[in-house]
Amino acid sequence: MSKSQLRSIVTDIIKSIAPDEDLSSLDPEKPLRAQIDLDSMDFLDIVMELRVRYNIDVPEADYPQLNSLASTVNYLMPRMQGV
Amino acid sequence: MGIRGLKNIRDEYDVIVIGAGLGGLTCANMLARRGNTVLLLEHHTLLGGLAAYFRRKKHIFDVALHGFPVGMKKTCRKYWNRDISDRIVPLTGIRFDNPQFQLETDYTKESFIKILIEKFGVPQEAVAEFFEHTRRMNFYDGDNSTTRELFQKFFPGREDVWRLLMEPITYANGSTLDDPAISYGIVFSNFMDKGVYTFRGGTDLLMKMMEEELLKSGVDIRTKVLVEKITMENGRVTGVMANGEHIRTRAVVSNANLKRTVLEMLDEEAVPADFRKQTEKLRVNNSSCQVYIGISENEKIDFIGDLLFTSTAEKFSENLMLDKNVTSRTFSVYYPSIRPEHNRYAIVSSSNARYEDWSGLTEQQYRADKEHLAEDTLDHLEKYVPGIRKKIDHLEVATPLTFKYYTRHIGGASFGTKFEGLEISNRLPERIPGLFFTGSVGIIMSGWLGAANYGVIVSNNVERFLKNSNG
Ligand SMILES: Cc1cc2nc3c(=O)[nH]c(=O)nc-3n(C[C@H](O)[C@H](O)[C@H](O)COP(=O)(O)OP(=O)(O)OC[C@H]3O[C@@H](n4cnc5c(N)ncnc54)[C@H](O)[C@@H]3O)c2cc1C
């Protein structure tokens, strides 16, 4: 899976959790929470959706790695193999 | 609500949830939505736990619907449904009346800032810094200071300001000036920020709608079922004993009091000694007293505000707030707009209370003390609703014993356990594999919103456990 495919997977999930946010101008390097209104529960929703949709388990210790779009993609890349 | 008793239950469930408070309900709903088989067991006949209501004559009284933060709207939309979320509406008139100040607010950050600067004369920078500081406070910062130190730093010597900032929080979750600044900051930023909200239709409608959603998600709901024990084999949870029957499950989520769950529902030898010790030391929050006042059918009351924080105490004092000689009361006024088809007024007076002050009395003394509280409450209410005694046709008192009877919480605890409970709750699944706790704990995860959100957080942990233990 390519980085851009993975990025659109992640933005799809965010879109489903925060339907009112405009995601088209997200800067992938900047923290998500500095750009859109995501609280810690929204964040948990992202984690839960990753498990439900792609069977990916993100332990709490790894949550900081989901800070920005780019870091999320990097984190998920090796874990998405075979999905 | 639900089916009474255990007729026709399955042999085994993925998850059994003990207790139908907002934490248990939300956790059960999320787990069932994700395809797990879920059995929800509640000892009472109604769902909701402390989010309770009851009918008397033609009145419906709400027990814990004074108000909650706006976040409840989003939480209900995401983890329940849009119809529930759409019924969450703001309250408009919140009043404070005590010897130090009288004021009215819509409970928004803007309103509090204005009041602090204009009415209390606090320098703008100090106010801005306080709001910024509390907003940034993070559970993982490891800040050990107390709320008193926080206030002392930003508003030195200004006990009137402390009172404005603390009294509503003490009512909402039983916390004190000696509790960690971090838990205060998190609750304050959530609570005194975007107004206070209520549920149009009342607690009875909310519970009806939640029950419908639970059934849609596939939760097996059983009321009048008391869970006596959580059973274990080979170091992991295997089921529960309830109404004398053993029911097998792969995981248990307890929404019953955390302390009782660990110390009473598990066999002593199942709990590692150090964990048991730690749990024994866990402090529970205070309980409450309430006076329910029903207004007669043909009477009405003018709008005097939705929520009145009143006190006759000279200064804020958490001990006085707990005292049986009540000086501080929150009056919640329910106008017909909350249940438009019902068209009745009701007033509920709440105060914090100690279980010890009400237990161990003779039957006669207990009754006399309740009556005194009711009469004293009417005397105080007279100031806000002149001629109140002539307007009412129902008067009833709940004490810490009442809360204990209905929820089975230790000491009738109104707001779960103190701060240290969070760590115990978080570590519980490590120490007792297969057992999870959700519900009011650690001050932060408290109130309707905190309990519901914690239900979601714990549902995620349970799912991880179930997936991983599938091998
Ligand atoms: C007087 C009062 C006013 C309040 N006002 C507000 C307010 O205005 N806004 C707000 O946000 N919060 C308010 N709260 C707090 C809020 O109601 C609680 O924090 C929240 O409802 C607690 O939810 P919970 O998930 O912890 O479960 P609880 O409500 O404590 O429910 C636990 C459930 O478990 C059941 N149970 C226990 N043991 C067993 C067993 N062995 N077997 C089966 N079932 C069992 C109990 O019967 C109960 O139904 C108030 C609380 C009180 C007491």
Side-chain angles (χ1 to χ4, degrees):
Chain A
M1 186 175 293
S2 72
K3 279 202 173 189
S4 75
Q5 275 174 311
L6 199 44
R7 192 177 304 159
S8 73
I9 281 178
V10 176
T11 44
D12 274 356
I13 290 179
I14 298 176
K15 186 103 218 151
S16 71
I17 289 156
D20 303 331
E21 296 287 344
D22 173 19
L23 306 181
S24 58
S25 53
L26 271 187
D27 179 340
E29 303 297 331
K30 283 203 187 130
L32 284 166
R33 289 175 71 172
Q35 304 177 74
I36 51 177
D37 190 14
L38 282 186
D39 60 28
S40 57
M41 292 305 291
D42 295 326
F43 208 69
L44 177 67
D45 291 336
I46 298 177
V47 169
M48 293 194 292
E49 283 304 312
L50 284 169
R51 188 179 51 241
V52 171
R53 296 190 193 182
Y54 303 103
N55 210 14
I56 289 179
D57 179 40
V58 185
E60 200 174 325
D62 291 350
Y63 288 3
Q65 311 224 31
L66 309 186
N67 185 37
S68 70
L69 199 51
S71 69
T72 306
V73 168
N74 288 339
Y75 175 78
L76 293 177
M77 200 59 170
R79 291 169 175 77
M80 281 296 234
Q81 301 310 331
V83 171
Chain B
M1 282 196 200
I3 302 175
R4 288 196 185 194
L6 291 170
K7 284 191 300 287
N8 301 325
I9 54 162
R10 287 167 175 261
D11 290 338
E12 180 171 10
Y13 292 82
D14 292 325
V15 188
I16 292 178
V17 178
I18 308 171
L22 281 162
L25 290 167
T26 312
C27 192
N29 196 38
M30 290 304 288
L31 285 165
R33 271 189 189 176
R34 300 260 148 89
N36 300 288
T37 53
V38 180
L39 175 65
L40 174 63
L41 301 177
E42 168 57 51
H43 93 94
H44 191 34
T45 48
L46 300 177
L47 306 183
L50 288 168
Y53 65 92
F54 60 93
R55 295 169 204 271
R56 292 287 187 273
K57 298 174 192 157
K58 284 187 178 160
H59 297 289
I60 305 174
F61 292 105
D62 298 282
V63 172
L65 180 56
H66 307 293
F68 40 72
V70 67
M72 191 70 186
K73 216 173 158 68
K74 189 164 161 190
T75 285
C76 285
R77 173 170 60 72
K78 293 199 295 186
Y79 313 120
W80 289 97
N81 61 42
R82 194 167 277 280
D83 290 345
I84 292 178
S85 169
D86 285 347
R87 287 186 163 269
I88 292 174
V89 293
L91 296 175
T92 49
I94 293 97
R95 281 169 66 183
F96 288 76
D97 184 16
N98 62 56
Q100 283 170 302
F101 52 85
Q102 291 80 45
L103 56 88
E104 208 172 322
T105 166
D106 60 9
Y107 236 67
T108 57
K109 183 174 162 181
E110 295 69 33
S111 161
F112 284 117
I113 289 178
K114 190 164 184 259
I115 288 168
L116 284 169
I117 295 171
E118 291 177 10
K119 192 167 165 81
F120 288 78
V122 181
Q124 190 163 356
E125 308 77 68
V127 176
E129 270 174 46
F130 177 76
F131 274 88
E132 183 57 20
H133 181 78
T134 45
R135 194 182 62 80
R136 281 161 174 266
M137 286 180 119
N138 185 317
F139 182 62
Y140 302 100
D141 285 349
D143 172 355
N144 289 324
S145 59
T146 65
T147 309
R148 189 189 307 279
E149 286 161 352
L150 175 77
F151 288 159
Q152 189 60 41
K153 179 169 166 209
F154 286 93
F155 312 110
R158 289 299 303 269
E159 291 193 25
D160 52 346
V161 174
W162 300 17
R163 181 178 212 160
L164 173 68
L165 298 175
M166 190 69 201
E167 213 161 71
I169 305 284
T170 304
Y171 275 125
N173 64 20
S175 63
T176 71
L177 288 170
D178 297 315
D179 280 313
I182 180 78
S183 62
Y184 174 83
I186 292 172
V187 174
F188 172 79
S189 318
N190 266 318
F191 192 47
M192 297 168 85
D193 183 33
K194 297 202 171 75
V196 187
Y197 288 71
T198 190
F199 187 80
R200 195 165 34 81
T203 315
D204 46 331
L205 181 63
L206 174 64
M207 283 309 142
K208 185 169 167 261
M209 292 174 82
M210 284 190 166
E211 182 178 3
E212 282 165 9
E213 185 65 30
L214 288 166
L215 293 173
K216 218 165 98 189
S217 304
V219 177
D220 193 348
I221 309 170
R222 304 301 176 113
T223 56
K224 277 292 204 192
V225 178
L226 180 70
V227 175
E228 293 123 17
K229 280 273 168 210
I230 297 162
T231 59
M232 297 185 64
E233 244 170 73
N234 303 327
R236 60 179 286 175
V237 164
T238 52
V240 302
M241 286 298 301
N243 287 7
E245 272 186 56
H246 187 242
I247 315 166
R248 281 188 293 133
T249 183
R250 297 169 61 209
V252 168
V253 177
S254 174
N255 183 218
N257 181 284
L258 176 58
K259 215 167 163 164
R260 266 190 54 230
T261 303
V262 175
L263 300 179
E264 292 173 27
M265 293 190 179
L266 289 164
D267 280 337
E268 194 167 338
E269 60 276 13
V271 185
D274 62 320
F275 194 61
R276 212 184 151 79
K277 268 225 179 73
Q278 193 185 357
T279 311
E280 276 164 359
K281 284 199 227 126
L282 173 60
R283 296 163 301 158
V284 296
N285 270 312
N286 59 262
S287 187
S288 305
C289 280
Q290 288 189 311
V291 182
Y292 310 95
I293 302 158
I295 307 294
S296 320
E297 191 153 10
N298 300 319
E299 295 285 348
K300 49 185 288 196
I301 39 186
D302 296 332
F303 186 75
I304 53 165
D306 295 297
L307 203 52
L308 283 72
F309 294 106
T310 75
S311 175
T312 53
E314 286 307 318
K315 284 193 205 170
F316 169 79
S317 150
E318 48 222 17
N319 281 325
L320 274 183
M321 282 178 76
L322 284 169
D323 206 284
K324 200 172 176 185
N325 184 9
V326 177
T327 49
S328 296
R329 299 178 163 83
T330 310
F331 290 109
S332 269
V333 188
Y334 300 92
Y335 302 91
S337 54
I338 182 145
R339 291 183 181 82
E341 70 297 339
H342 184 62
N343 198 30
R344 289 297 281 266
Y345 295 81
I347 300 176
V348 177
S349 168
S350 310
S351 25
N352 292 355
R354 294 191 190 93
Y355 185 78
E356 309 83 79
D357 288 342
W358 290 89
S359 62
L361 303 176
T362 62
E363 182 59 37
Q364 197 185 8
Q365 188 64 46
Y366 181 65
R367 231 178 298 137
D369 288 357
K370 276 171 63 161
E371 193 167 323
H372 173 75
L373 178 61
E375 290 304 322
D376 197 34
T377 301
L378 289 181
D379 288 344
H380 281 87
L381 188 54
E382 182 71 28
K383 175 174 176 189
Y384 309 100
V385 187
I388 182 68
R389 280 195 164 76
K390 291 205 208 77
K391 290 175 184 279
I392 64 176
D393 67 357
H394 188 77
L395 188 61
E396 184 170 341
V397 173
T399 73
L401 274 61
T402 322
F403 288 102
K404 181 167 184 196
Y405 175 80
Y406 284 107
T407 62
R408 305 184 62 84
H409 290 331
I410 294 178
S414 294
F415 317 109
T417 56
K418 290 278 188 195
F419 192 61
E420 62 272 16
L422 263 185
E423 192 196 328
I424 296 177
S425 179
N426 286 339
R427 289 178 55 204
L428 180 61
E430 277 165 42
R431 307 312 298 270
I432 312 287
L435 179 58
F436 299 80
F437 176 81
T438 192
S440 289
V441 68
I443 297 174
I444 302 169
M445 301 300 178
S446 180
W448 289 29
L449 177 60
N453 280 346
Y454 199 38
V456 179
I457 294 170
V458 171
S459 78
N460 178 53
N461 298 341
V462 174
E463 281 236 287
R464 291 192 63 214
F465 170 82
L466 290 175
K467 286 242 153 90
N468 292 336
S469 65
N470 254 346

